[in-house]
Structure formats: structure tokens, C-alpha cells
Amino acid sequence: MLSEVKDSSTKFGDSVPELFGGAIAISGIAGDQQAATIGQACFTPGMIKSTYGTGCFALLNTGATPVASKNKLLTTIAYQLKGRRTYALEGSIFVAGSSVQWLRDGLGIIKQAAETGALADQSDPAQSVYLVPAFVGPRRALLESARARRAVRADAQHRPGRARACRARKRLLPDL
């Protein structure tokens, strides 16, 4: 059974007094992406926020009604304030910035993250080469895709000199 959804700014309880010399109210809750949605003032249905870091996450405010995705996105609660719940559609790329770090630190094929843009600009689009950074495995958008089973999974433990390259003849994930 899941817990009851409460306002993001409600009082959930107090800390144990012995921890801090007195009780401290716990009066707010928000997950990373939900907090970024609020922090980036994504309050109107149709507004979208995108956060880049280790991963890349986009949330589209859908308003007071949950929307079922036609493209395998996750329906989630963005926030709830004064009893009014706001929903969002979430798209997640769990490995984004960390894949650039792997190219730098794991494979040693770049010295600085900033080099990746110039390398991408030099690539030949006719070669149909795709990097599929699935270091943590496929997530919701990939789970139902038969094509995803053909995607090459890179092992995050690869050391320089042990990397494998793969060419994909077809676009692997057209439905996202």
C-alpha cells in the first residue's frame, strides 16, 4: 500500500529532540525533479522543465488531471499545494552527464567534457552510429520496446582499451 499524498509543504512530523537539542519540524517534501519543477516556476499546464546532470530529466506540467502517455512517459505527481494536486509527464535519461564522465575517466578518449560537442560536430551522420549509455539498464521507456533488446549495453566497468564499438543500421528507439 502506498502512503497518503499530502501537500508538499505540510508538516509531516518532528525530528527526535535528542538529535539537535530540540525538535525540528519536518515541513516539506519534494523529490529531485519535483523540487526542480517548483524551483523553475513550472506552474502552468503545458510548461516543461528539463534538468541536466548525471542524468537528464524532463517534466511536463499536465495540470490537475493525470495524463496517460502515448509515448511511454511516466505519469507522476509534480506537487500538491493547498490541497490542489498537479500532475506531470516525466521523461528520464538516467545516464547523461555520467556517460561523458565515463568517456573521460573510464575510457580516456577525451580529456575534458567540453570536447564532446566538437567531436559530435565532426561525426558523419550517414554512418548511423549511436551511443546507447545503458549503464544502469533500460528504464520504463525501454522495457516494452522490442527494439531495445537489440540495443548494445555498455558496461560501466570497462577500462581503457576494452571498449567495444557498435554500429546500428536502424534507429533503435523511434517511439520515445
Side-chain angles (χ1 to χ4, degrees), residues 104-163:
R104 184 191 66 207
D105 301 342
L107 294 180
I109 62 175
I110 59 172
K111 291 191 187 306
Q112 296 180 356
E115 297 174 35
T116 57
L119 288 171
D121 289 342
Q122 294 171 17
S123 67
D124 180 357
Q127 289 184 342
S128 298
V129 175
Y130 296 89
L131 171 63
V132 182
F135 301 140
V136 295
R139 292 296 188 240
R140 180 176 170 84
L142 302 179
L143 293 177
E144 299 172 25
S145 173
R147 281 176 234 158
R149 285 180 240 153
R150 295 186 299 221
V152 174
R153 292 186 188 163
D155 181 353
Q157 300 304 315
H158 279 158
R159 306 270 190 287
R162 291 179 53 204

Side-chain angles (χ1 to χ4, degrees), residues 42-87:
C42 187
F43 296 124
T44 305
M47 292 181 80
I48 190 168
K49 74 91 196 159
S50 185
T51 306
Y52 300 91
T54 302
C56 174
F57 304 90
L59 263 70
L60 170 68
N61 182 325
T62 62
T65 305
V67 174
S69 173
K70 296 176 183 174
N71 295 293
K72 303 176 186 170
L73 299 175
L74 176 70
T75 301
T76 188
I77 297 172
Y79 53 85
Q80 181 172 304
L81 298 171
K82 297 181 181 177
R84 295 182 55 193
R85 192 168 299 160
T86 300
Y87 292 91

